[in-house]
Amino acid sequence: MTQLSRQPCEACRRQSPTVSEAEIRLFKPEVPEWQIVERNGIMQLERVFTFPNFRQALAFTNRVGEIAEAAGHHPALLTEWGRVTVNWWTHKIKGLHRNDFILAARTDEVAK
């Protein structure tokens, strides 16, 4: 369990700030396999997880859904045969929040 994954998520409001470059440099080493991508002008964390079949990919999708529900923060999930693409970002602020890094770290843990 990483230090980041143990941190609590905080309620995010529309006026909450996106993470700063300094915060990204602090959090990114704890989720090294995640890429920061821009989709429609919105910064997101993205990672592709691979599995030997659809059943295991779907089971992983469901586990990610459970941690998302528990945190009240939901990613985009694309489940395909043998792979799941997970994108975390905060819809309310149209960008990355600390919560996204926390949930990315928790996603890594459920993948193990």
Side-chain angles (χ1 to χ4, degrees):
M1 188 174 263
T2 68
Q3 182 179 10
L4 186 60
S5 69
R6 289 186 297 245
Q7 294 181 21
C9 288
E10 60 186 58
C12 193
R13 302 189 188 332
R14 291 197 191 282
Q15 62 272 26
S16 296
T18 58
V19 290
S20 67
E21 287 296 323
E23 288 171 311
I24 290 173
R25 285 192 300 275
L26 179 67
F27 300 145
K28 185 68 174 76
E30 293 208 46
V31 289
E33 295 182 62
W34 290 80
Q35 304 301 314
I36 296 176
V37 298
E38 185 176 328
R39 297 264 189 311
N40 299 317
I42 299 171
M43 301 301 288
Q44 302 177 13
L45 285 173
E46 179 177 274
R47 181 171 175 197
V48 176
F49 295 86
T50 57
F51 301 92
N53 56 50
F54 183 76
R55 182 180 305 257
Q56 289 181 14
L58 185 58
F60 173 74
T61 299
N62 289 328
R63 289 191 306 272
V64 174
E66 289 171 11
I67 66 168
E69 273 297 300
H73 191 64
H74 305 91
L77 297 164
L78 173 60
T79 305
E80 305 172 87
W81 192 96
R83 65 188 270 158
V84 177
T85 305
V86 182
N87 287 77
W88 288 105
W89 79 98
T90 301
H91 299 80
K92 285 184 181 179
I93 63 173
K94 295 182 168 93
L96 290 173
H97 187 271
R98 180 176 194 232
N99 293 344
D100 300 304
F101 287 88
I102 292 169
L103 272 296
R106 291 180 188 173
T107 302
D108 286 344
E109 289 176 358
V110 299
K112 293 179 183 174

